[in-house]
Every structure is written in C-alpha cells, then in structure tokens.
Amino acid sequence: MVTTRSLEDLDAHSYQEYVATGQGLVLIPTGATEQHGPHLPLGVDAMLSRAISSAAAEELDALVAPAFSYGYKSQPRSGGGNHRAGTASLSGQALVLQTQDIALEFFRHGIRRVAVVNGHFENYQFLYEGLDLAVKQAQVVGLGGRRAMLLSYWDFVDDRTLEAVFPDGFLGWDIEHGGVLETSLMLHLHPDKVDMSRAPDHPPAELTPYDIFPEDPARTPGSGCLSSPAGATAERGELLLHTVRSGIVRAVTSEFGK
C-alpha cells in the first residue's frame, strides 16, 4: 500500500510495488504559468489541477504525477493574451511531445492507465494529440492494453452548482479567467495565495468572435481578468471542488473501472 498519493514524494521501490498490482492509475495534472490578475499567482492553473487530482486520487487508488507547470499560449479570448507580463508558454509542438513522452514513460513502467487532468483551457487539443500518439506508440512497441483519458476539470461543473456559485446568473465560460470560479477554488484550496484586497471589480470583457495578430492589448481588460472575481468565496470554492471531484471520480471509474 502506498503511503502517499504524490508520485514525486514516493520512493522508487514503493512505486514499483504499486505498478506490480497491474491496476495502476496515474493522474497527470496540467496547467500553465499565466497571469490571473493582481489578486492571484501565476501558477493558478497547475495548482488547481494538482489539488483537484489529489482530491480524486484517494478514491481512485491513483498516484498524482508532478504537474505540467507550463502550457500552451494564453489567448485573448480565454486567458487575456500571451503578451501579458508573467505569462510564459510552450509551443503546441512542445506540449504535444511532452505529453507523449511522459505518458509513454508511465506506460513503459507498467502503468496501464493514465488520465490527464487539464487546468488550462488552451492546452486541450495539444494534450489530446500527445495522448493519442502515446497510446498508438505503445501498441507499436509491444505495450498493449495501455489506455489514456483526457478531461478538463470545469467540464464537471453542473448547472446546479453554477446556480449556487453565480446567483445573479452565469455569464459564460469564455470570460471565466481570473474570475469567480478560479478565485473561489483558490480561496478554498490555497487561501494564503489570494489577495482579495487587490481583486479587480469591472464589467466582463466584451470579446470579438475572432482573433487578430499581433494581439491587441486594448481589447481585453488591463487587469488581466476577463471578469470580476468580486463574488468569489471559499465556501463556493468548496462546493466547486466537491462537484468536480465527484464528477471526475465517476468518469474515470466508468472508463477504467475501480
């Protein structure tokens, strides 16, 4: 029996014993290093995906891998833009190859199932490509029976939870960057890293249905937040975490068994 769910804190022999059960599952949190306004740290996306993975791991008998702390380029219509100070990004090719390499390494160890828990919107398609390539490559080199799963944690926030977290009405996922959802989760999971005295309170961004190059900083709020986090609370963060954790556990169990 493993004594920790954190792979980076586990010794190699205990990890080998876990793998030898043949039922091993590794959750890979992915995020970014990206500005989230003046009230939140740059590491929000990886912090949240790691914490959510850890919350689900015990029930799933899973290990949590070290998080991907860099992600694909922040975009104006979802993250404020890659031009903003503090945002440091990978190319799509780099993220695909990193995902493929790490998934293959776990497959090589004897892990048969990996699930990537995404915490940065722009990552998704590149994570998808990397996992697809990893599973195909595993088959080519004789590592049959390996399977992978990809999910973004916010996709498990149901309508009932949205109504509780946004009593005045939910304005849409496209402007939830540095807003109520991420800030509430951080207030619950990492309250020491949130400074609500610096939280901006301005109208939501009015976004175009297209992108332009080079990016125009004037098209998104100067705060870096696409909506105000003013309604965020730790209690709402706790509700969000409970909903997301339960949904992830159900989804992973339905695909991989328990």
Side-chain angles (χ1 to χ4, degrees), residues 6-239:
S6 173
L7 186 63
E8 59 194 305
D9 294 329
L10 193 66
D11 70 88
H13 292 267
S14 297
Y15 174 59
Q16 189 173 30
E17 291 173 4
Y18 175 81
V19 173
T21 67
Q23 299 300 314
L25 167 64
V26 172
L27 305 180
I28 306 174
T30 65
T33 297
E34 178 189 35
Q35 70 81 30
H36 283 77
H39 65 300
L40 293 175
L42 297 172
V44 164
D45 291 344
M47 290 178 193
L48 291 181
S49 61
R50 183 189 300 113
I52 290 166
S53 296
S54 296
E58 189 71 37
E59 192 166 348
L60 292 168
D61 190 25
L63 298 179
V64 180
F68 288 11
S69 295
Y70 294 93
Y72 184 63
K73 299 179 183 73
S74 174
Q75 296 169 20
R77 292 194 291 145
S78 51
N82 206 57
H83 59 277
R84 294 186 179 274
T87 298
S89 305
L90 298 175
S91 67
Q93 181 184 26
L95 184 54
V96 169
L97 293 175
Q98 177 175 262
T99 306
Q100 180 184 9
D101 284 351
I102 297 304
L104 274 171
E105 285 296 279
F106 287 126
F107 291 156
R108 179 180 63 81
H109 297 162
I111 294 292
R112 293 182 172 273
R113 304 168 299 165
V114 298
V116 170
V117 180
N118 181 37
H120 177 61
F121 179 82
E122 289 89 342
N123 282 348
Y124 197 89
Q125 297 303 330
F126 303 101
L127 298 172
Y128 187 107
E129 179 71 3
L131 289 175
D132 184 49
L133 291 172
V135 172
K136 289 176 179 175
Q137 183 64 23
Q139 294 171 342
V140 169
V141 299
L143 298 174
R146 269 52 171 182
R147 299 182 65 201
M149 185 174 184
L150 171 62
L151 58 93
S152 295
Y153 73 79
W154 50 83
D155 285 332
F156 295 89
V157 180
D158 56 27
D159 290 341
R160 183 176 180 180
T161 303
L162 284 177
E163 290 173 3
V165 174
F166 299 92
D168 296 326
F170 181 55
L171 299 178
W173 290 110
D174 54 341
I175 56 170
E176 264 304 307
H177 178 76
V180 169
L181 185 143
E182 288 180 312
T183 304
S184 292
L185 281 167
M186 287 294 291
L187 283 169
H188 175 55
L189 293 166
H190 298 289
D192 58 315
K193 299 182 185 298
V194 183
D195 185 354
M196 288 303 288
S197 71
R198 302 187 67 198
D201 190 3
H202 54 63
E206 296 183 7
L207 303 172
T208 63
Y210 54 84
D211 296 295
I212 60 167
F213 303 88
E215 295 175 354
D216 179 1
R219 296 194 180 212
T220 53
S223 70
C225 299
L226 298 185
S227 60
S228 173
T233 67
E235 293 74 20
R236 290 174 177 175
E238 184 177 14
L239 174 60

Side-chain angles (χ1 to χ4, degrees), residues 229-249:
T233 67
E235 293 74 20
R236 290 174 177 175
E238 184 177 14
L239 174 60
L240 285 162
L241 178 63
H242 173 76
T243 300
V244 168
R245 182 201 63 80
S246 298
I248 290 174
V249 168

